[in-house]
Amino acid sequence: QYSLIKDVVSSLKRHRMHEQQFTHHPLLVLSNFGLQQIQVKLMASMFQNMFPSINVHRVNLNSIKRCLLISYDTETQLLHFRHYSVKVVPVGVSKGLKKLLQEKFPNMSRLEDISELL
């Protein structure tokens, strides 16, 4: 079973699709591939070699825009693919400063000074 991208996008309330998401490889997450069966090890190795490895100590978090989750169901022997869009957002700051950091322009018509926003 699968879904086409146009069906996924049409079902979303707010979709975030832009070209920068596809300039870097996704972060690959494999779930339930720790079994000792040779075919499961072969599948895990194949998926790991499809994408370059990521050095977690040197990676720039802003460059990771997508995450690919591949989960193996041992009972049904099916693979489940989930492709996520990752967005880095600031935490622990005011709503006005968060909008400025995300390059959104807040409504400042009620304010006299930018310090009121911050």
Side-chain angles (χ1 to χ4, degrees):
Q1 296 176 344
Y2 64 93
S3 298
L4 297 175
I5 188 67
K6 66 179 183 177
D7 297 329
V8 173
V9 169
S10 66
S11 70
L12 298 174
K13 291 180 182 175
R14 289 182 291 157
H15 66 287
R16 296 183 328 106
M17 296 282 294
H18 49 83
E19 290 181 13
Q20 288 92 13
Q21 288 179 318
F22 301 101
T23 57
H24 296 285
H25 299 284
L27 175 67
L28 179 65
V29 178
L30 298 177
S31 177
N32 295 332
F33 281 89
L35 302 173
Q36 297 300 321
Q37 299 168 345
I38 190 70
Q39 68 269 20
V40 177
K41 286 184 178 181
L42 183 63
M43 281 191 299
S45 176
M46 180 192 69
F47 288 126
Q48 287 171 343
N49 290 321
M50 285 176 68
F51 303 101
S53 61
I54 295 175
N55 186 345
V56 293
H57 299 293
R58 292 186 180 175
V59 70
N60 180 5
L61 288 179
N62 291 328
S63 68
I64 298 176
K65 302 291 184 189
R66 297 178 295 140
C67 178
L68 178 62
L69 171 65
I70 303 174
S71 179
Y72 178 69
D73 189 351
T74 55
E75 293 177 7
T76 61
Q77 296 184 343
L78 293 175
L79 292 171
H80 299 278
F81 289 83
R82 300 290 266 172
H83 193 199
Y84 296 98
S85 175
V86 177
K87 182 179 178 182
V88 179
V89 295
V91 290
V93 295
S94 68
K95 187 184 287 186
L97 184 58
K98 190 181 293 187
K99 284 185 179 182
L100 284 176
L101 290 174
Q102 293 176 350
E103 298 177 357
K104 296 179 182 175
F105 299 104
N107 184 4
M108 296 181 55
S109 62
R110 298 174 302 215
L111 308 175
E112 292 182 26
D113 191 309
I114 194 154
S115 63
E116 294 178 19
L117 177 71
L118 302 178

